Amino acid sequence: MSNTAHSKAAKEFLKNQKYAKWHDQTFWSVRTKRDNMAYGLKEWEQLRETASAIKRHTLTHLDQYLDQFSTNAEKNGCIVHWAKDAAEFNEIVLSILREHNVKKMVKSKSMLTEECEMNPYLEAHGIEVVETDLGERIIQLKGQKPSHIVMPAIHLNHDDVGELFEEKLGTEKGNHDPTYLTYMARLSLRNEFLTADAGMTGGNFGIAETGDIVVCTNEGNADMSTSCPKLHIAAIGLEKVIPNYDCLAVFQRMLCRAGTGQPTTTYTSHFRKARPTAAPMHIILVDNGRSQWLSNPEHWESLKCIRCGSCMNTCPVYRRSGGYSYSYFIPGPIGINLGMLRNPKEHSGNVSACTLCLSCQTVCPVKIDLGDQIYKWRQQLPSFGTANPEKKLMSSAMSFVFNHWGIYNSALWVSPLANRIPRSIIYLPLNPWGEGHEMMQFPKQSFHSLWKKGLSH
Amino acid sequence: MSTKSQILSSLKNSIKERFPMPDIQIDATTYADPLAQFISMTKSVGGKVVELQAGDDINQLIRSLYPDAKEIASSLPEITIATRNPDTTPTAQSLNGTDVGIVRGEFGVAENACVWIPQTMKERAVCFISENLVILLPKAAIVNNMHEAYRRISFNDLGYGTFISGPSKTADIAQVLVMGAQAARTLTVILIP
């Protein structure tokens, strides 16, 4: 049986066992920190329930809230743009930058600009783009993509970063101390903030009632990116808009507790308009598939996601296979689901990266039924032509056996014989279940026959 | 048809059922002593809290906290030791190299050590570009949680405000926590009577 794309990629990740173990333990400790935060608030489950209900309400009134948001942002003096897809988004950004004669733009972290592959587009048009979140900067210098939505450089250790900085930033040879490296990155980025012509941020939330763009960071890089340059562009996906501050309070309390196990991010910044010494602020609202996904009766709730990352932190498959094992740019349970909404043919290989343990939907702060959705996607694989024919055959054979008790009983009776098959045959590459995995031993007596004899004996 | 109307009509077509807005009545944690909780949270997020005693001079206190500071930036009238003023600075960039920035916080949040800082100066860069940030906060102005906080915040015409909780930090290199990523490397909240 052919392995899925995910399990093939995971094999690469698992080659470095020491690192794989560190990765697993690191994310488990983040999960533990999240638990301490959640258990520390008696109202945690009430917050989750409310957050989920607010998102359901907002998404099903998104036409109204987006209209309200853009009206208020324009009243504040912002220029609001609408982009139907990645190409239109990139063109809008480029045209704003050209209008202001921008040569260099600093930016804070945004999964949306990853989604639209904005950086390579702008660079191809002669704009220098500098990522300013430390993790994003590291992978930008390394020419890589994020392996986690909140901790983008988690696949690199301090030696990897140290060697990278020696080459790119001219840091001391052999000094790979994270404090030193962070300081050197600070000095280099400080220079970028001071010399950039524009700053771009994403947005964690857009507030319909006030027109605010709210950005949460620990590093303060979104604020640095927007407090020196003369131009601020904020880009958000449609689903980031929420009704008002009462709603925001609910999400602000959960975002960081769920994501990194902190009581809050260091900075929760509200941008309503440009600085008095800057050009008007631009806001770009990006659809890129979202308005269509909303029509999917079984999967529209994936749009509730606030990008905290807690589902990947807890996922036993993500922890043991890393972000690069998934074909979509967002990994883990939410990435599996969003990838399937984006392009099921291309990203079906991810749906098997799930044990259906449902840990993800137990921690999700907005109660997305992530694991249930993955299960539902699996049922739809034949309609995308991406179902595995061998698994299908195996399933129909099992279904036949389980539906015919005579055959089932005979199979059970002979099953202990399987224990005698030599290892060299059982663990042939033909048996994918024998790979990295010990096959079960069939018991001499089945539960069925024990039951008949009377379990009490 | 404009992209805006295309997107809005596509949303309208996609929405099958409109769910009601829930009642947002969170039975939120409150504290017997919000100030004590605020102080303890500020320390746990890496900040420092100092109390200005009645009769003490704020400038002397800041001086004693940062004896080596050369460039001090503030637009607050009571800060007489300032060498730079974010209201009159020629550019935001010229605030770079500030050793200590001093700003006023409107209120603090007990649950997470956030302090609400609306922009009151021409260049808000002072809040981030300074190596060390000092926030002056009225001791009585502490709310329990973010629900209370969001009912209290207000904006002036400058249209910007931020909650700050502790110094700038990162764990992006091998998950090791380092204070002082891109903005202030230390944060001191001075509680004023």
Side-chain angles (χ1 to χ4, degrees):
Chain A
M1 188 189 309
S2 58
N3 283 317
T4 62
H6 177 275
S7 65
K8 280 180 193 152
K11 217 180 261 177
E12 277 304 304
F13 174 89
L14 290 168
K15 275 185 184 157
N16 185 345
Q17 276 291 319
K18 199 176 139 203
Y19 170 70
K21 195 166 177 198
W22 177 84
H23 189 272
D24 180 21
Q25 287 171 340
T26 298
F27 280 105
W28 189 251
S29 79
V30 179
R31 159 75 205 260
T32 310
K33 281 195 233 166
R34 171 260 171 216
D35 287 351
N36 293 339
M37 281 293 149
Y39 301 152
L41 286 183
K42 63 176 167 49
E43 65 270 33
W44 184 257
E45 289 304 316
Q46 197 191 2
L47 285 168
R48 289 181 72 218
E49 198 54 60
T50 309
S52 169
I54 294 171
K55 278 289 182 181
R56 281 172 148 238
H57 164 76
T58 312
L59 289 170
T60 58
H61 294 77
L62 204 50
D63 51 337
Q64 297 164 17
Y65 284 119
L66 281 167
D67 201 23
Q68 189 189 6
F69 172 80
S70 67
T71 306
N72 285 325
E74 280 164 1
K75 263 191 217 154
N76 294 339
C78 296
I79 300 165
V80 180
H81 309 259
W82 301 72
K84 62 181 179 305
D85 55 22
E88 190 174 4
F89 168 70
N90 289 337
E91 283 160 22
I92 291 170
V93 177
L94 182 64
S95 72
I96 301 169
L97 295 178
R98 285 203 167 142
E99 193 188 313
H100 289 84
N101 203 17
V102 171
K103 306 268 185 305
K104 174 157 76 182
M105 176 167 83
V106 282
K107 68 179 286 285
S108 69
K109 200 162 150 352
S110 153
M111 291 310 288
L112 180 67
T113 60
E114 289 287 339
E115 175 183 321
C116 296
E117 297 179 335
M118 181 197 77
N119 290 9
Y121 174 84
L122 293 181
E123 281 154 9
H125 288 83
I127 310 269
E128 186 189 352
V129 182
V130 180
E131 293 286 351
T132 62
D133 170 82
L134 178 57
E136 287 285 341
R137 182 62 178 155
I138 291 168
I139 57 171
Q140 185 183 36
L141 290 172
K142 188 111 181 145
Q144 292 179 329
K145 290 191 175 303
S147 59
H148 186 282
I149 62 171
V150 178
M151 299 164 238
I154 193 72
H155 57 284
L156 301 170
N157 66 28
H158 61 285
D159 285 325
D160 299 327
V161 178
E163 282 158 24
L164 176 73
F165 281 11
E166 284 169 19
E167 184 198 331
K168 304 279 181 179
L169 305 181
T171 56
E172 257 170 56
K173 232 170 166 44
N175 190 346
H176 298 170
D177 171 48
T179 304
Y180 167 74
L181 295 173
T182 300
Y183 184 64
M184 296 311 281
R186 173 186 172 89
L187 295 183
S188 145
L189 284 171
R190 183 55 68 95
N191 186 47
E192 306 289 0
F193 289 125
L194 296 175
T195 55
D197 311 300
M200 175 179 252
T201 64
N204 295 84
F205 308 99
I207 314 298
E209 205 172 86
T210 60
D212 297 16
I213 293 281
V214 180
V215 185
C216 305
T217 78
N218 276 321
E219 299 187 6
N221 58 312
D223 292 290
M224 282 299 297
S225 295
T226 50
S227 48
C228 289
K230 287 211 178 302
L231 175 68
H232 176 192
I233 304 173
I236 61 171
L238 300 184
E239 82 283 18
K240 293 291 179 81
V241 169
I242 57 172
N244 53 39
Y245 281 168
D246 277 348
C247 297
L248 176 59
V250 172
F251 295 112
Q252 200 281 349
R253 295 187 79 200
M254 304 187 86
L255 177 65
C256 205
R257 284 186 170 97
T260 59
Q262 296 169 260
T264 177
T265 44
T266 301
Y267 304 93
T268 305
S269 300
H270 293 241
F271 298 90
R272 224 172 245 195
K273 59 161 78 165
R275 301 182 347 257
T277 50
M281 174 175 161
H282 289 256
I283 298 174
I284 311 173
L285 298 167
V286 186
D287 183 343
N288 203 27
R290 289 160 177 77
S291 65
Q292 283 303 308
W293 301 346
L294 205 51
S295 70
N296 189 316
E298 285 184 324
H299 299 287
W300 67 274
E301 289 202 32
S302 285
L303 285 164
K304 294 195 302 193
C305 177
I306 56 170
R307 304 290 190 272
C308 73
S310 61
C311 62
M312 48 201 85
N313 301 347
T314 196
C315 175
V317 181
Y318 175 84
R319 283 189 278 118
R320 291 172 179 83
S321 60
Y324 290 158
S325 298
Y326 300 78
S327 62
Y328 196 51
F329 78 107
I330 299 176
I334 187 62
I336 295 173
N337 284 303
L338 291 173
M340 289 302 280
L341 281 168
R342 168 73 60 208
N343 185 341
K345 279 201 168 57
E346 204 175 317
H347 300 296
S348 285
N350 298 329
V351 296
S352 59
C354 171
T355 63
L356 297 179
C357 75
L358 307 190
S359 179
C360 49
Q361 63 198 55
T362 310
V363 299
C364 175
V366 293
K367 297 190 99 166
I368 303 172
D369 54 343
L370 295 151
D372 292 340
Q373 288 198 28
I374 294 171
Y375 174 80
K376 286 176 191 159
W377 282 121
R378 286 183 186 171
Q379 311 314 305
Q380 297 165 58
L381 292 183
S383 71
F384 309 131
T386 51
N388 183 314
E390 292 154 74
K391 276 189 190 166
K392 252 166 92 177
L393 181 70
M394 195 80 75
S395 301
S396 48
M398 285 197 286
S399 160
F400 181 77
V401 172
F402 292 145
N403 281 308
H404 297 80
W405 63 267
I407 298 172
Y408 175 77
N409 281 344
S410 325
L412 211 55
W413 187 67
V414 299
S415 64
L417 291 175
N419 296 340
R420 303 208 199 150
I421 303 176
R423 285 188 72 86
S424 55
I425 295 178
I426 285 205
Y427 294 94
L428 274 177
L430 281 170
N431 175 14
W433 284 293
E435 217 182 305
H437 171 256
E438 278 296 304
M439 297 302 288
M440 68 173 280
Q441 287 285 306
F442 286 96
K444 290 203 176 69
Q445 285 195 61
S446 67
F447 175 78
H448 197 124
S449 58
L450 285 172
W451 183 260
K452 270 189 178 164
K453 284 181 200 161
L455 273 174
S456 53
H457 299 300
Chain B
M1 196 162 48
S2 73
T3 304
K4 175 180 176 177
S5 34
Q6 269 180 48
I7 290 175
L8 292 183
S9 84
S10 163
L11 285 168
K12 279 191 193 104
N13 290 335
S14 289
I15 294 167
K16 305 279 192 291
E17 181 190 350
R18 294 195 187 252
F19 288 86
M21 177 68 131
D23 189 15
I24 306 176
Q25 285 299 329
I26 306 292
D27 180 20
T29 303
T30 56
Y31 305 92
D33 184 348
L35 180 63
Q37 171 72 14
F38 174 81
I39 293 171
S40 122
M41 283 314 293
T42 303
K43 289 175 185 164
S44 88
V45 296
K48 202 165 144 181
V49 183
V50 179
E51 201 170 334
L52 180 75
Q53 304 298 332
D56 279 0
D57 177 54
I58 184 75
N59 291 287
Q60 271 175 17
L61 176 63
I62 295 170
R63 219 352 125 214
S64 71
L65 291 170
Y66 300 97
D68 302 328
K70 289 193 179 61
E71 296 293 348
I72 297 176
S74 185
S75 60
L76 303 177
E78 66 267 40
I79 302 302
T80 53
I81 51 172
T83 57
R84 299 168 161 193
N85 186 339
D87 275 344
T88 55
T89 184
T91 61
Q93 285 84 344
S94 52
L95 289 169
N96 193 40
T98 297
D99 298 306
V100 181
I102 304 157
V103 299
R104 202 188 306 283
E106 223 163 67
F107 62 89
V109 186
E111 70 161 326
N112 58 12
C114 279
V115 180
W116 174 244
I117 301 170
Q119 182 173 352
T120 51
M121 63 297 282
K122 189 184 78 175
E123 292 298 355
R124 62 177 183 249
V126 65
C127 305
F128 314 104
I129 211 167
S130 307
E131 291 293 296
N132 305 284
L133 183 65
V134 172
I135 302 174
L136 308 187
L137 180 67
K139 199 175 139 176
I142 307 291
V143 301
N144 284 293
N145 52 51
M146 293 307 287
H147 307 291
E148 294 176 15
Y150 273 116
R151 268 173 234 137
R152 184 160 167 170
I153 67 172
S154 60
F155 280 75
N156 57 41
D157 196 44
L158 290 171
Y160 172 88
T162 183
F163 284 104
I164 299 185
S165 166
S168 159
K169 58 180 78 72
T170 183
D172 275 348
I173 300 179
Q175 277 295 292
V176 177
L177 180 64
V178 179
M179 297 295 172
Q182 317 314 339
R185 302 173 72 195
T186 75
L187 175 95
T188 303
V189 176
I190 299 183
L191 297 169
I192 52 179

